[in-house]
Amino acid sequence: MNNEGGRTDWIIPELGFEAETEALRTAIGEWVNSTPEEMQPQLGEQFLAGSKYFRPLTIFACQTAVAEDKVTQDTLHAAVALELFHNMTLVIDDILDHSDERRGKPTMHTAFGQLTALMTSGFMVAEGYRMAAHDKHVVALLSELLTRLGVAEVLQWNSRKLPRGVEDWRRLAQEDTGSMFEVAACLGDRSEGLRQFGGLLGTLYHACDDVSDVRGTEALGGGGEEDIRDGILTLPAAIAVRDPDVAEMFRDPNPENYDALAEAFRAALPEAEDELDRIADSAIAEAKRFAKNPEKLIILVERTRALGSVR
């Protein structure tokens, strides 16, 4: 399936969230235009083109899965705040990964300098909290997210070049991307009955990113070569390092063994695909268990699964 460079325009009509997504774009645009002029150039580049909005779509789907009501203004505001937090993580990731491009454009630190990128990422977080200040539930969830992301990033960085297994990968994925989608689910479903669904959807998204990178398709997030260079524990890597020779190369990645590592990771793809299927099946089971209208949640899972597969 062609996912249009990782964008989600193709799924918005299927979910029936055209109006909600347009309202989200408008709200973000109005916010960018209201910020100090020192911030507007980089915020405009970051927010006003190329966003996938997968996390807001998860919020919208979770609210409508547990309630008959349409997406509320409070839910829309929460989605804007979460987008600010999400984009903060992208800016920081790009700096850590030394990435020159994202979504076909220069990254913020490349275009505007590292100091501007760091200060702008902090500005995003502060603005997200300001937007949510009237709602203690949203503030608590955003605080949970920031705490878990901080731990996950340090854990992943400290785990570089360590040939660990699939269970270790799951822990990383659940606390990294999984925590973002957990919070998205709870922003949509305030009873938090869909929390585990959100975590599974995020883990699936993370896994599909890993698999897409290795396959050589355009990734949902970062790039496969950067992961090899930095010794990042992706799902295919966690499977491949069971081989002692691959584990030894993983401990000391260098240009001389990049090709061999890439080939070992490609050989792990069939087993990685099986893991994607297991995660997707678990997410669908959670949707059916806790949502009275699970159809849109199932669409999210099935379309996410398709992003990481050629099956």
Side-chain angles (χ1 to χ4, degrees):
M1 177 183 293
N2 180 359
N3 71 354
E4 299 180 353
R7 295 194 59 169
T8 52
D9 294 355
W10 48 272
I11 199 175
I12 293 170
E14 189 172 3
L15 292 171
F17 290 138
E18 297 97 327
E20 290 83 357
T21 304
E22 187 56 36
L24 178 73
R25 289 193 181 103
T26 299
I28 292 174
E30 290 175 349
W31 168 72
V32 169
N33 292 333
S34 74
T35 60
E37 63 180 21
E38 292 82 4
M39 293 292 175
Q40 290 187 22
Q42 59 269 28
L43 290 175
E45 285 294 312
Q46 184 74 20
F47 284 96
L48 299 184
S51 294
K52 297 191 287 289
Y53 296 139
F54 212 95
R55 291 146 192 84
L57 290 174
T58 300
I59 297 175
F60 301 157
C62 286
Q63 181 183 314
T64 56
V66 299
E68 298 291 346
D69 297 335
K70 294 183 179 179
V71 173
T72 65
Q73 282 299 113
D74 285 344
T75 300
L76 182 65
H77 293 155
V80 174
L82 189 64
E83 272 296 279
L84 266 60
F85 274 62
H86 170 52
N87 276 271
M88 173 274 294
T89 68
L90 300 183
V91 172
I92 298 300
D93 282 349
D94 288 339
I95 292 172
L96 288 174
D97 295 340
H98 308 291
S99 299
D100 296 329
E101 287 190 355
R102 179 179 288 276
R103 301 168 183 161
K105 301 186 304 182
T107 53
M108 187 182 292
H109 71 275
T110 301
F112 298 97
Q114 185 165 305
L115 174 64
T116 295
L118 288 171
M119 292 301 99
T120 302
S121 69
F123 180 85
M124 293 176 197
V125 172
E127 285 289 281
Y129 275 124
R130 181 185 63 78
M131 291 177 185
H134 67 287
D135 193 327
K136 291 182 179 180
H137 181 75
V138 176
V139 170
L141 286 170
L142 293 176
S143 297
E144 174 195 334
L145 174 61
L146 199 56
T147 299
R148 291 176 66 182
L149 287 175
V151 172
E153 194 65 45
V154 171
L155 177 62
Q156 178 166 271
W157 201 248
N158 290 341
S159 299
R160 288 175 302 150
K161 304 179 184 180
L162 297 179
R164 293 175 169 168
V166 172
E167 287 305 311
D168 296 293
W169 169 85
R170 269 185 174 265
R171 181 187 173 199
L172 285 167
Q174 287 167 356
E175 289 305 298
D176 185 2
T177 315
S179 66
M180 182 80 71
F181 281 81
E182 266 190 49
V183 166
C186 295
L187 289 171
D189 169 24
R190 291 198 170 217
S191 75
E192 301 201 6
L194 291 172
R195 175 180 281 274
Q196 188 169 347
F197 166 82
L200 287 164
L201 180 64
T203 302
L204 179 64
Y205 193 95
H206 190 112
C208 289
D209 189 1
D210 286 355
V211 169
S212 294
D213 284 347
V214 170
R215 184 172 288 115
T217 59
E218 185 171 0
L220 307 178
E225 185 173 340
E226 293 169 352
D227 289 342
I228 292 174
R229 178 197 68 202
D230 295 334
I232 300 299
L233 187 70
T234 63
L235 175 57
I239 295 168
V241 296
R242 295 170 184 162
D243 183 322
D245 292 335
V246 177
E248 190 61 34
M249 289 189 290
F250 189 78
R251 290 189 184 95
D252 183 27
N254 60 75
E256 293 184 359
N257 63 28
Y258 284 176
D259 288 343
L261 281 169
E263 180 58 33
F265 296 167
R266 283 193 291 271
L269 286 177
E271 189 170 342
E273 292 271 8
D274 291 339
E275 180 69 11
L276 297 188
D277 288 338
R278 285 190 288 270
I279 298 169
D281 289 345
S282 296
I284 290 173
E286 282 293 303
K288 291 179 177 179
R289 182 181 177 190
F290 287 103
K292 63 179 181 180
N293 302 306
E295 294 80 9
K296 291 180 180 181
L297 303 182
I298 294 170
I299 290 172
L300 278 175
V301 173
E302 291 176 345
R303 300 303 174 262
T304 300
R305 174 66 185 90
L307 292 173
S309 179
V310 293
R311 290 180 180 176

